[in-house]
Amino acid sequence: DIQMTQSPSFLSASVGDRVTINCKASQNINKYLNWYQQKLGEAPKLLIYNTNNLQTGIPSRFSGSGSGTDYTLTISSLQPEDVATYFCLQHSSRFTFGSGTKLEIK
Amino acid sequence: QIQLVQSGPELKKPGESVKISCKASGYTFTDYAMHWVKQAPGKGLKWMGWINTYTGKPTYADDFKGRFVFSLEASASTANLQISNLKNEDTATYFCARGGFYGSPDYWGQGVMVTVSS
């Protein structure tokens, strides 16, 4: 089974900051990597699919990059409404979620 | 618009069973698989498996073989999750999610909180 290591677990940043969250797969996942945002008490929302494709309706300050085993979610200018937990998901071989990154405003 | 509406919260005793439903609308139900995902209180997301909504064939993750059953009422665009012989560690929110891009979850239900307590 493919394991996903997500970092950091917790992130505190200021409004307007550039924020990056990372996921590392235990083997090459060929860009089959999604990112989700989960606000407190809500269902996860798909932000980015297949590494760098923005889901419809998601603000352009969110972007994704990566290849092979290493992937990154970037928020170019952090907004108050971005407070949430972010998860990656590999779907190259079955499905495995990362452990999550809790993002708060400093 | 695409919606997945799940059934309401459940309070059960250890050893009992529970059945959760997920009603889809806004798309052709049998064109997309349905995933099930577990989230224990304060924890991350765990993929439980999925069901092919065209053939009805389920696939279970290793940790969810035995007491967990995925089923369909395709005529009602509904997917179901049944958990038997409930244990305290089954206390969690259970999400259904449509298998969209390359089969990965895109649209999610609101989640069902299942509490197992004596």
Side-chain angles (χ1 to χ4, degrees):
Chain A
D1 290 5
I2 297 176
Q3 308 303 315
M4 300 300 296
T5 302
Q6 186 170 342
S7 62
S9 299
F10 180 80
L11 185 53
S12 182
S14 301
V15 172
D17 280 357
R18 182 181 182 88
V19 167
T20 60
I21 296 169
N22 301 295
C23 269
K24 187 175 184 66
S26 58
Q27 64 190 69
N28 183 0
I29 57 171
N30 294 301
K31 298 194 171 188
Y32 290 114
L33 190 286
N34 294 358
W35 290 99
Y36 298 86
Q37 176 193 66
Q38 186 178 30
K39 296 185 177 180
L40 197 62
E42 297 183 6
K45 178 195 293 186
L46 177 64
L47 299 176
I48 289 169
Y49 62 95
N50 291 358
T51 297
N52 55 11
N53 296 280
L54 204 61
Q55 171 69 323
T56 303
I58 301 302
S60 59
R61 64 180 179 273
F62 291 93
S63 64
S65 62
S67 63
T69 61
D70 295 294
Y71 297 84
T72 300
L73 172 69
T74 300
I75 307 173
S76 59
S77 178
L78 187 65
Q79 299 302 304
E81 60 267 30
D82 299 336
V83 168
T85 300
Y86 293 83
F87 295 94
C88 62
L89 169 77
Q90 72 79 20
H91 58 101
S92 173
S93 173
R94 291 208 163 186
F95 303 86
T96 314
F97 288 96
S99 55
T101 296
K102 188 172 184 179
L103 175 60
E104 74 161 28
I105 301 290
K106 201 179 290 185
Chain B
Q1 72 282 21
I2 295 166
Q3 280 192 303
L4 300 177
V5 178
Q6 297 186 240
S7 49
E10 301 274 2
L11 175 59
K12 295 291 185 180
K13 291 180 166 48
E16 293 185 337
S17 296
V18 69
K19 190 172 185 178
I20 296 164
S21 67
C22 171
K23 183 169 177 60
S25 61
Y27 69 97
T28 301
F29 182 71
T30 51
D31 282 352
Y32 298 85
M34 192 69 77
H35 295 268
W36 290 96
V37 176
K38 177 182 179 181
Q39 188 169 40
K43 301 296 185 182
L45 302 169
K46 190 159 188 180
W47 184 71
M48 300 174 67
W50 59 348
I51 185 165
N52 183 318
T53 55
Y54 185 76
T55 64
K57 180 187 174 186
T59 299
Y60 301 97
D62 288 345
D63 287 348
F64 297 96
K65 291 179 179 175
R67 298 187 298 114
F68 300 83
V69 176
F70 307 148
S71 63
L72 302 174
E73 297 168 49
S75 60
S77 298
T78 298
N80 300 305
L81 164 64
Q82 183 160 352
I83 310 172
S84 59
N85 189 21
L86 282 161
K87 305 178 186 304
N88 290 331
E89 53 264 38
D90 295 324
T91 293
T93 298
Y94 293 87
F95 293 99
C96 61
R98 190 184 80 159
F101 300 104
Y102 292 79
S104 63
D106 55 2
Y107 292 90
W108 294 63
Q110 83 276 17
V112 175
M113 180 70 203
V114 174
T115 303
V116 183
S117 174
S118 53

